[in-house]
Amino acid sequence: MAHLTIPEFQQHKQQGKKLTVVTAYDALFTRIVEQAGLEVILVGDSLGMVVQGKTNTLSVTMEDMLYHTRLVAQTAQRSLVISDMPFLSYQVSVQEAVRNAGQFLQAGAAAVKLEGGLSVVDRVEAMTRFGIPVMGHVGMTPQSVNQSGGYRVQGKGQKEAEKILQEAKELEAAGAFALVLECVPSSLAHTITQALSIPTIGIGAGQGCDGQVLVLYDLLGLFDDFVPKFVKPYAHLKADALQALTRYKEEVECGKFPSDAESYN
Ligand code: KIV
């Protein structure tokens, strides 16, 4: 089965068809995501928080991201797999950024995503020049959490909104094939979406984007350490897991499990 290509992904915008993106970090959930009919998977560095249990994404390494990219990419049958470039893998130089981005393609991803505006325009330009598709990410950029002082909505004031719009335009001009808009006012996301010919994928950016992305464990209700306003839990798997484990413990302790049905004669 053929994978969704970047031109096909981009055509959604022209056709007015919304794009649904979700994160995944392993083979099991990649299979479930594809069974549900989703076709775009982001191997997000959010795995630092939801898989590794850290309070931010800054300690996620290239090795971590490549490992999870391989798990997802080896399993995906038709999805477009995009991998997040972790902190420090693209900041130091254009050369390092291109080399690291290329490693994601070697690991099976079809594209990379990196955070930032004007400071990464030369990276995006170099990567696309060498055939590495790049998704930009502006607005709230979690790898800059220490500078922004927390996970806050960005672009509320006019000056800041204009800056984000400008960054979006420059990333498109540099060759980005799509752009994540995170935690920006809906009106700004709408303006950016109208101004660009590449698709915008929103997270906490309202309805005006060309598509949406959510962290898988947030939408499944598995991760509740920190639930931002933009998250809608479509399931409550943590509650289900807690109930299942509690019952299992009770049944082992009272001798109800295993019963004959789970035993061999
Ligand atoms: O790391 C991630 O999962 C992301 C999405 C939330 C956009 O960057």
Side-chain angles (χ1 to χ4, degrees):
M1 198 177 287
H3 288 255
L4 183 78
T5 64
I6 294 202
E8 286 165 350
F9 172 91
Q10 291 183 306
Q11 275 161 24
H12 281 67
K13 179 162 182 141
Q14 284 90 54
Q15 295 166 348
K17 278 171 30 191
K18 293 274 187 188
L19 288 151
T20 313
V21 185
V22 70
T23 67
Y25 317 102
D26 62 21
L28 177 70
F29 274 119
T30 298
R31 281 202 290 266
I32 295 173
V33 165
E34 290 203 329
Q35 273 175 34
L38 282 78
E39 289 183 321
V40 190
I41 296 179
L42 172 68
V43 186
D45 64 351
S46 49
L47 69 84
M49 297 168 86
V50 300
V51 176
Q52 298 176 335
K54 304 281 169 54
T55 52
N56 59 48
T57 58
L58 296 176
S59 58
V60 177
T61 63
M62 275 297 292
E63 196 187 339
D64 297 333
M65 290 305 303
L66 290 171
Y67 171 72
H68 288 279
T69 296
R70 280 188 207 102
L71 298 182
V72 171
Q74 281 164 10
T75 310
Q77 301 287 304
R78 59 168 193 279
S79 297
L80 175 68
V81 176
I82 305 163
S83 286
D84 249 342
M85 296 197 66
F87 180 60
L88 278 192
S89 68
Y90 58 92
Q91 286 85 349
V92 177
S93 69
V94 173
Q95 198 179 2
E96 258 188 54
V98 172
R99 194 186 305 282
N100 285 328
Q103 288 195 55
F104 284 102
L105 268 55
Q106 290 178 326
V112 296
K113 174 169 85 59
L114 48 78
E115 298 181 7
L118 302 185
S119 57
V120 298
V121 163
D122 56 354
R123 275 74 171 153
V124 173
E125 199 272 324
M127 288 174 196
T128 48
R129 187 154 27 98
F130 295 115
I132 303 171
V134 189
M135 178 181 249
H137 182 158
V138 297
M140 205 272 282
T141 48
Q143 291 176 15
S144 308
V145 62
N146 288 319
Q147 201 165 39
S148 54
Y151 299 109
R152 307 211 164 87
V153 180
Q154 303 292 311
K156 277 185 153 178
Q158 196 186 336
K159 221 171 142 200
E160 210 195 334
E162 278 166 11
K163 180 170 168 269
I164 297 173
L165 174 61
Q166 189 57 27
E167 288 172 339
K169 287 180 176 169
E170 299 223 11
L171 287 165
E172 173 171 36
F177 74 91
L179 197 61
V180 167
L181 301 176
E182 180 159 358
C183 279
V184 296
S186 306
S187 56
L188 174 59
H190 178 76
T191 304
I192 295 173
T193 302
Q194 297 304 308
L196 301 188
S197 56
I198 55 171
T200 59
I201 307 297
I203 175 161
Q207 283 187 3
C209 298
D210 298 305
Q212 299 293 324
V213 58
L214 278 178
V215 170
L216 180 67
Y217 292 14
D218 287 342
L219 86 88
L220 294 180
L222 259 175
F223 181 77
D224 63 1
D225 291 10
F226 164 66
V227 184
K229 174 180 158 73
F230 59 74
V231 168
K232 179 169 177 181
Y234 285 87
H236 300 280
L237 296 196
K238 180 177 173 185
D240 287 352
L242 281 173
Q243 202 184 29
L245 289 163
T246 310
R247 278 189 56 201
Y248 168 55
K249 181 173 184 287
E250 280 167 8
E251 292 195 1
V252 169
E253 285 174 357
C254 75
K256 198 170 168 193
F257 177 85
S259 70
D260 286 348
E262 295 93 22
S263 305
Y264 299 101
N265 290 320

